[in-house]
Amino acid sequence: LKKEISAWKTILTILLLAALTIGESLALSSDPPPKDKNPIEPGTNVTSNTIREEVDRLAKSAQASFEKGRYREAESLYRKALAITETDLEPQNPKFASLLNNLGLVLRAQARYPEAEALYRKALEAHRRVSGPELTAVTTILHNLGEVFRYQGRFVEANTLYEEAMRIREAGQKQDDPEMASLLNNMGVLYLDQGQYAKAESFFRRALEIGDKSLAPNPSAQAATLNNLAQLYRLLAKHT
């Protein structure tokens, strides 16, 4: 064990960050929006295609604002898109659940956990009603809700949701895609937070293996998992 710790310390020294673990959350994407369209107010009498285009435009703008850290602006745009969807497309539209999920990410980034939890639960209900409980898209929302619980120290609840998401992905033959790697990383972080280092290491290594085999590699996600693994070995070194 000491030899392995020493080797990993040498390889991963540059990745060590003091007492920092990195988790990931996942947005549900929208189709590319049209350009140069005038805004649509909720309840406006226009075609459904025009409404969908406007919702996509708002969602795209909201995502861009979120990625730049402009959370209030992103929240406002997502809420406008949701208002149009609820009024003109009906909550049964799959876009409704996606918008709820992505607004939940914005609120979670501001540590507004109860509000984010409420949105994720509403998104889960909407997705299950429209697409069924076993759809792999549901796993994204389960995953993100699990993150909200983990951030609040509600580890048992977080673990339950992570495991449900993993079960659905494995049943759908989705165990080797990038989202599975993200889920495994966050399960590793969950166990690291609880001092269960052997379990944490197992999940981090599985996440790295999937990332290495992926046809669409995500360098930032791989770096996050490597950082978490480095943090794990730093903690192990303290106790040897």
Side-chain angles (χ1 to χ4, degrees), residues 5 10 36 124-125 142 161 177 196 236:
I5 292 170
T10 301
D36 301 321
L124 271 177
E125 180 184 348
L142 290 168
L161 292 174
D177 66 5
Q196 299 184 46
L236 282 173

Side-chain angles (χ1 to χ4, degrees), residues 17-23 150-151 189 192-193 204 224 227-228 231:
L17 300 174
L20 174 66
T21 56
I22 301 175
R150 182 177 69 81
Y151 271 53
V189 173
L192 184 60
D193 287 345
F204 290 146
N227 177 77
N228 292 338
Q231 172 68 8

Side-chain angles (χ1 to χ4, degrees), residues 71-85:
Y71 299 138
R72 293 292 182 181
E73 182 178 300
E75 179 181 350
S76 176
L77 290 166
Y78 275 134
R79 290 194 185 281
K80 287 179 181 178
L82 278 167
I84 293 171
T85 304

Side-chain angles (χ1 to χ4, degrees), residues 75 78-79 82 98-107 119:
E75 179 181 350
Y78 275 134
R79 290 194 185 281
L82 278 167
S98 298
L99 291 168
L100 288 168
N101 173 79
N102 294 352
L103 178 56
L105 295 182
V106 175
L107 298 180
L119 285 171

Side-chain angles (χ1 to χ4, degrees), residues 15 24 29 34 58 71 81 97 105 116 131-132 151 165 196 199-200 216 239:
L15 294 170
E24 303 170 67
S29 62
L58 289 167
Y71 299 138
L105 295 182
S131 307
Y151 271 53
Q196 299 184 46
K199 286 186 176 181
H239 299 291

Side-chain angles (χ1 to χ4, degrees), residues 94-183:
K95 289 184 184 295
F96 182 67
S98 298
L99 291 168
L100 288 168
N101 173 79
N102 294 352
L103 178 56
L105 295 182
V106 175
L107 298 180
R108 201 209 75 176
Q110 301 172 76
R112 293 161 63 182
Y113 300 129
E115 293 173 81
E117 178 182 345
L119 285 171
Y120 287 138
R121 290 190 182 281
K122 192 173 181 179
L124 271 177
E125 180 184 348
H127 244 318
R128 284 170 166 160
R129 183 174 61 247
V130 174
S131 307
E134 299 298 305
L135 186 73
T136 52
V138 170
T139 65
T140 297
I141 303 170
L142 290 168
H143 184 171
N144 288 337
L145 181 55
E147 281 292 271
V148 168
F149 289 152
R150 182 177 69 81
Y151 271 53
Q152 297 176 88
R154 295 160 64 180
F155 298 137
V156 173
E157 292 168 279
N159 187 66
T160 298
L161 292 174
Y162 289 156
E163 288 185 345
E164 183 179 355
M166 183 176 293
R167 178 188 62 77
I168 294 172
R169 296 201 73 78
E170 288 175 343
Q173 302 298 309
K174 300 286 186 179
Q175 62 264 43
D176 292 328
D177 66 5
E179 185 172 333
M180 188 65 161
S182 176
L183 177 58

